Amino acid sequence: MKVITRILMFLSLGMILFNLFQLNWQSPLEGKSLIALIGIIASSCAFLLLIILEISKKILAISKSKKN
């Protein structure tokens, strides 16, 4: 599970970087630039959710070890 999470985190960072290069900084809310902006926001959300998943798995492991 940890390996898959790391791979997905790497892919979401790659998508953020790719969309940053596609973004037109002069008019970020027009045409393909809007799609790139939506992609950046979506990839950032996915990355944040994966970080939350990893933190929750660490908390679960700590709480299980303290019960024993």
Side-chain angles (χ1 to χ4, degrees):
M1 180 75 171
K2 192 172 187 175
V3 174
I4 294 172
T5 307
R6 297 287 173 144
I7 291 171
L8 290 174
M9 289 172 90
F10 177 74
L11 287 174
S12 66
L13 284 176
M15 288 179 65
I16 290 170
L17 289 175
F18 175 76
N19 284 319
L20 278 174
F21 287 114
Q22 299 298 317
L23 191 63
N24 181 6
W25 294 99
Q26 303 300 326
S27 57
L29 299 177
E30 294 178 5
K32 289 185 178 181
S33 189
L34 178 63
I35 296 170
L37 187 62
I38 292 170
I40 291 169
I41 293 170
S43 299
S44 300
C45 289
F47 186 75
L48 182 64
L49 287 172
L50 289 167
I51 288 175
I52 291 171
L53 177 66
E54 265 202 26
I55 291 172
S56 68
K57 292 288 184 180
K58 287 180 184 178
I59 291 172
L60 181 66
I62 289 171
S63 67
K64 279 186 178 180
S65 67
K66 285 188 178 182
K67 283 184 180 179
N68 294 332

